[in-house]
Amino acid sequence: MVDLRHIGKAYKVGDTNIEALRDISFSIGRGEYVAIMGPSGSGKSTILHILGILDTATSGTYLFEKYDITTLSDREQARIRNRHFGFIFQRFNLFSELSAMENVMLPMGYAGLSKPQRKERAGELLVEVGLENRMNHRPTMLSGGEQQRVAIARALSNGPDVILADEPTGNLSTDAGEEIIQLLETFHRRGVTIVMVTHNPSQAARTERIIQIKDGRLHSDTRQGGSR
Ligand code: ADP
Ligand code: ADP
């Protein structure tokens, strides 16, 4: 489903080029549950941003299903991003002035649903992540774990094929983090592809595959038992 071929990414900072990624190649099949690990600054977030079309590679080819992402216009890239990918970030990235419900409804504007339909779907998703009693709360009234569950409901709102999670438990207690991992595992069992950056070896051990990045290069790619 996802196929990276010889991906390179350079950031221009003033007169210098920072090579964040060099010659990264790997494929991810539909329904896989993958951990990306590696030292800080090794390029893990950059890979996630390229996979989710939040950023584009400076060299190489990215194929997503039948699309060659590298050749598409910004508009076509945005359409594929909204339709196929959901994102979860370490810092939740919710809109603080909107309720949980409104945060989850927001991305659905692209999907051509009426407002009542969006409300209904957002409500169902919030129930699924265990927030039936928090729908009208703003993020500041919620714990970190609850905010991340809102973010998961938001990430699922357009029925994505792939969830990209960048250290989703990095700002949470062990218990709250465990609940987030269990939610991701639930959606994985339903067939959602999950790619998660994590520093936590026991979380990585529960996935089906660990991709290690070092200095912007693919260091190892190991399949394992996983949680299914
Ligand atoms: P990781 O997620 O593994 O910590 P990143 O992908 O965030 O690593 O960063 C990889 C490298 O690219 C680092 O050297 C980082 O400083 C650099 N980098 C990331 N984003 C930018 C940016 N927007 N501008 C310049 N350099 C960046
Ligand atoms: P960190 O990994 O340092 O905790 P975040 O996970 O909050 O940072 O965000 C990582 C990167 O993703 C940032 O560079 C941010 O600009 C970008 N980003 C965060 N949220 C979104 C979003 N909803 N859409 C597009 N880009 C985003």
Side-chain angles (χ1 to χ4, degrees):
M1 178 171 53
V2 157
D3 191 6
L4 298 181
R5 295 185 186 169
H6 308 295
I7 291 291
K9 176 68 181 180
Y11 291 106
K12 257 205 158 64
V13 179
D15 288 341
T16 47
N17 254 343
I18 297 176
E19 281 199 67
L21 297 178
R22 302 160 207 246
D23 197 23
I24 297 273
S25 298
F26 61 82
S27 303
I28 296 175
R30 184 173 283 277
E32 277 197 73
Y33 183 17
V34 182
I36 298 185
M37 301 190 79
S40 190
S42 57
K44 305 180 296 296
S45 294
T46 303
I47 289 179
L48 225 53
H49 288 176
I50 289 171
L51 284 177
I53 329 181
L54 292 173
D55 203 349
T56 49
T58 38
S59 58
T61 307
Y62 174 17
L63 304 173
F64 176 74
E65 296 192 320
K66 61 184 176 186
Y67 306 104
D68 181 350
I69 300 299
T70 24
T71 65
L72 298 181
S73 68
D74 288 353
R75 193 154 166 266
E76 290 169 313
Q77 291 188 355
R79 190 182 63 85
I80 292 170
R81 179 172 61 238
N82 293 324
R83 197 171 283 186
H84 298 282
F85 293 93
F87 298 91
I88 307 168
F89 298 95
Q90 181 173 2
R91 282 193 272 254
F92 322 133
N93 294 356
L94 300 172
F95 285 96
S96 56
E97 70 281 16
L98 300 181
S99 69
M101 172 74 88
E102 289 163 338
N103 266 286
V104 178
M105 286 170 68
L106 209 57
M108 290 190 248
Y110 299 100
L113 298 175
S114 69
K115 195 164 181 192
Q117 286 173 321
R118 282 186 276 149
K119 247 190 161 138
E120 189 183 339
R121 170 134 181 86
E124 288 166 3
L125 286 165
L126 285 166
V127 169
E128 278 204 61
V129 299
L131 294 179
E132 53 274 16
N133 298 320
R134 298 284 186 277
M135 295 199 189
N136 298 313
H137 287 54
R138 288 186 184 192
T140 48
M141 301 165 71
L142 300 173
S143 70
E146 288 171 336
Q147 290 182 57
Q148 195 62 301
R149 284 188 271 159
V150 175
I152 290 176
R154 179 185 59 183
L156 290 163
S157 61
N158 281 337
D161 302 298
V162 188
I163 296 248
L164 301 170
D166 198 347
E167 294 190 54
T169 67
N171 278 340
L172 300 178
S173 69
T174 308
D175 287 351
E178 173 60 26
E179 288 177 8
I180 294 305
I181 295 299
Q182 287 185 12
L183 269 178
L184 291 177
E185 288 173 351
T186 300
F187 293 108
H188 163 59
R189 283 192 293 270
R190 291 189 202 163
V192 180
T193 308
I194 296 178
V195 184
M196 171 174 70
V197 170
T198 180
H199 285 292
N200 184 321
S202 59
Q203 285 178 5
R206 287 160 65 170
T207 68
E208 297 168 337
R209 178 176 173 191
I210 300 178
I211 292 175
Q212 291 267 4
I213 306 298
K214 241 183 191 170
D215 294 331
R217 294 181 190 277
L218 192 81
H219 180 69
S220 63
D221 184 351
T222 315
R223 290 177 194 273
Q224 54 184 10
S227 63
R228 208 145 35 169

